[in-house]
Amino acid sequence: MTQYSANLGFLWKSLTLPNAIRAAKEAGFIAVECHWPYDEDIDEVTQALMETGLPMLGLNTSRGNLVAGENGLSALVGREADARDAIDQAIDYAVHWSVANIHVMAGFAAGEQAETTFLENLRYACDKASLHMITVLIEPLNSQDAPGYFLQTSAQAADIINKVDRPNIKLMFDFYHLQIMEGDVCRHFESLLPIIGHVQIASVPDRAEPDNGELNYRYILSRLAEMGYNQPIGAEYKQSTNAQDFTWMEVLSKR
């Protein structure tokens, strides 16, 4: 049976992170993940994780200057110092909470220099993260929600991973983003399985509960199981129904 990780970047946004972790436990999730936890009280989050027994599977590096519209730093030429500060910060938090994965965000950039910068920052991240048995994730974002984001396709991500040439870098396979950019998601997933480090789901096109929209997740999740993928699936969606309605988990579990 598929098990799910609650993405607390979208779910229970009205709650503090510690209370969102508790809510995830009550709702039946077996893990949590978050976006940017850097304004939270570290010790209170630690207490909530210990109290619930939920592992935190992932967090993101800082987006940078939100007023300037930044969405990650690691592919930005001339911002290498800031990017590495963000990587160091993410690793520090990950170590404190025993987080398995760090999503290193590329940011809005393009061109060969941006790729070189991204590769160098990812090698830095991988080398530091490896000291703590942490995996570095990179994630393509679709061009409708994040126009101008450096990393947009699974093929580009696979090429980056090959060029970084570190054992602890993997692909975040987000079905929502990759359905919009590429389609044929099951075939792409199967071909990329050796480099996939985490999976996230949401409906397409509205990024809501995954039991509606153009993707049949009952079929998709059964295919993932057939391929041998048995890790918790990240529920990274924006709730359109009652905040306590998680019946979609039962719907998707029916085979």
Side-chain angles (χ1 to χ4, degrees):
M1 181 177 176
T2 303
Q3 296 180 305
Y4 300 95
S5 168
N7 189 292
L8 304 180
F10 285 156
L11 299 178
W12 295 288
K13 290 186 70 173
S14 63
L15 300 181
T16 64
L17 184 54
N19 285 334
I21 291 168
R22 296 182 179 98
K25 176 69 172 182
E26 293 178 6
F29 289 93
I30 62 94
V32 293
E33 54 201 62
C34 60
H35 287 163
W36 305 281
Y38 306 113
D39 292 330
E40 300 283 346
D41 185 290
I42 289 181
D43 293 333
E44 290 183 7
V45 173
T46 302
Q47 177 60 35
L49 292 171
M50 293 178 62
E51 176 186 317
T52 60
L54 297 183
M56 184 176 287
L57 299 186
L59 53 82
N60 297 348
T61 56
S62 171
R63 288 172 288 181
N65 187 337
L66 299 184
V67 175
E70 292 182 335
N71 195 31
L73 300 167
S74 289
L76 275 58
V77 179
R79 298 290 297 281
E80 291 84 356
D82 293 333
R84 296 188 182 197
D85 284 346
I87 289 166
D88 292 343
Q89 178 189 45
I91 291 174
D92 287 344
Y93 276 71
V95 169
H96 199 91
W97 295 329
S98 300
V99 178
N101 306 294
I102 291 173
H103 169 205
V104 174
M105 299 194 67
F108 298 123
E112 292 183 7
Q113 284 188 300
E115 179 179 294
T116 298
T117 300
F118 195 33
L119 291 172
E120 291 174 350
N121 285 328
L122 286 172
R123 292 187 186 110
Y124 173 86
C126 287
D127 291 345
K128 291 207 69 174
S130 69
L131 301 176
H132 307 284
M133 305 296 290
I134 294 170
T135 297
V136 169
L137 299 176
I138 58 173
E139 178 185 16
L141 304 185
N142 77 77
S143 58
Q144 295 184 35
D145 290 354
Y149 193 76
F150 177 77
L151 189 61
Q152 296 188 355
T153 69
S154 62
Q156 183 190 10
D159 182 58
I160 292 290
I161 288 170
N162 181 60
K163 289 175 178 175
V164 170
D165 192 27
R166 296 292 190 276
N168 63 325
I169 183 169
K170 297 286 184 178
L171 168 66
M172 175 104 76
F173 195 103
D174 188 313
F175 278 88
Y176 167 77
H177 288 296
L178 292 176
Q179 169 66 8
I180 292 172
M181 293 301 294
E182 304 174 16
D184 201 14
V185 284
C186 286
R187 205 182 310 271
H188 284 305
F189 187 94
E190 186 169 18
S191 68
L192 293 164
L193 185 55
I195 63 168
I196 291 174
H198 188 50
V199 172
Q200 293 178 332
I201 62 173
S203 65
V204 180
D206 56 1
R207 206 172 194 179
E209 291 79 5
D211 60 346
N212 67 90
E214 64 189 50
L215 285 177
N216 180 353
Y217 279 114
R218 285 179 62 188
Y219 171 79
I220 288 171
L221 295 178
S222 68
R223 287 286 295 118
L224 267 57
E226 290 170 3
M227 295 176 205
Y229 189 85
N230 58 5
Q231 300 303 306
I233 303 295
E236 191 189 38
Y237 69 92
K238 301 175 182 179
Q239 289 174 291
S240 63
T241 59
N242 181 283
Q244 299 304 316
D245 185 0
F246 296 97
T247 54
W248 61 266
M249 287 194 273
E250 296 178 13
V251 171
L252 299 191
S253 294
K254 296 176 182 178
R255 297 287 187 259

